[in-house]
Amino acid sequence: MATFGVILAAAGQSSRFKDAHYKKPFAPLAGRPVWLHSAEKFLERDDVKQVVGVVAPEDRAAFMEKFAANLAFMGITLAEGGEHRAEAVRRGLLKLRPEIDTVAIHDAARPCLAMEWIDRVFSAGARTGAAILATPVVATLKRVGPDHVIAGTVDRSGLWEAQTPQVFARALLARAMAAAAGQPTDEAAVVEAAGHPVTVVPGSRLNIKITSREDLRMAEKCLEALPRPRLSGPAHPFGDDDRWR
């Protein structure tokens, strides 16, 4: 049986979120921070032996001040990210215990998960060495120029929107990350570049990634439609705090 570790990516700059007080993983959602909703889904699982949260270096002190009790209660390991996502994931990998053989990368800003989706992608990742959740593109896609004029319509046949969790054999991901060039936006691209096939597991459009303030309202509705987690830590004392900008 695979032994899973989860790297919860929360080290981005949230430049599109445009909130004076919070980065998106730390914003309040249904009375709890976004990242905590995400973490709880994995901490409920017997096959997850470790969760590593990765935050930006400039956020570490404020994160610990606000969430140290949650980290202690839930046994979450903290790591500092780098300038780009790939470096954050590399540093998260270094924090995993030796017995972890399969790793899942999940966006901390995707709080709306159902256990059955995790079951499916974990199973596929353990079986094939590389699997991600994704949904087929259903909207009409337009290529738009810098003048905001449509330059063409993109054929959506075979196009899927990647989500997280993305699940990989630990050794495979570590090798691929060590050889990665450029700044990939997800780990599947790194593994693809290394020549390993990545299995796509159908996910759900409810598994939204919070990017804007408007997405918080949508996420709250999605959470109402999903089962509530059994595990919860100490309450989070929300308040305005410009340290999250």
Side-chain angles (χ1 to χ4, degrees):
M1 179 179 293
T3 301
F4 292 90
V6 176
I7 296 175
L8 201 64
Q13 295 303 307
S14 297
S15 57
R16 291 174 291 176
F17 192 57
K18 300 186 185 306
D19 188 289
H21 301 293
Y22 297 102
K23 288 184 177 180
K24 57 192 179 186
F26 315 127
L29 171 64
R32 306 177 71 75
V34 168
W35 77 267
L36 193 53
H37 287 282
S38 301
E40 286 172 336
K41 307 303 191 300
F42 299 101
L43 291 162
E44 289 188 352
R45 300 182 61 91
D46 292 337
D47 55 1
V48 172
K49 305 304 181 184
Q50 186 181 9
V51 173
V52 177
V54 186
V55 300
E58 65 269 22
D59 291 335
R60 183 186 180 102
F63 187 88
M64 288 300 295
E65 180 180 338
K66 286 179 173 289
F67 303 122
N70 299 90
L71 298 182
F73 178 82
M74 296 179 170
I76 296 174
T77 306
L78 191 64
E80 289 187 9
E83 185 177 356
H84 300 285
R85 181 184 177 97
E87 183 59 27
V89 172
R90 288 188 189 101
R91 295 184 184 186
L93 283 169
L94 292 174
K95 291 285 187 176
L96 290 175
R97 294 194 290 265
E99 64 269 24
I100 302 296
D101 55 32
T102 309
V103 58
I105 316 297
H106 185 64
D107 300 320
R110 287 190 191 271
C112 304
L113 279 175
M115 203 60 73
E116 64 182 274
W117 311 337
I118 302 176
D119 287 341
R120 292 201 298 263
V121 74
F122 271 32
S123 177
R127 185 179 69 255
T128 67
I132 70 170
L133 285 181
T135 55
V137 172
V138 296
T140 299
L141 299 178
K142 301 292 184 181
R143 183 175 289 108
V144 179
D147 55 359
H148 288 196
V149 173
I150 293 173
T153 300
V154 179
D155 181 4
R156 68 188 179 203
S157 301
L159 294 182
W160 290 59
E161 180 181 345
Q163 301 179 339
T164 64
Q166 300 193 353
V167 182
F168 308 96
R170 179 182 181 172
L172 167 64
L173 182 60
R175 288 195 304 271
M177 295 298 292
Q183 302 302 332
T185 56
D186 75 349
E187 292 64 52
V190 175
V191 173
E192 292 164 41
H196 194 286
V198 179
T199 299
V200 169
V201 176
S204 168
R205 288 197 291 273
L206 292 181
N207 184 18
I208 65 170
K209 184 177 183 180
I210 292 173
T211 302
S212 67
R213 294 287 308 174
E214 182 181 40
D215 293 335
L216 286 172
R217 294 191 288 273
M218 188 179 303
E220 189 158 3
K221 296 299 183 184
C222 291
L223 287 175
E224 290 174 0
L226 295 171
R228 294 182 63 84
R230 298 186 303 272
L231 181 65
S232 61
H236 167 61
F238 281 114
D240 289 345
D241 191 335
D242 62 8
R243 286 172 294 180
W244 295 119
R245 288 185 292 182

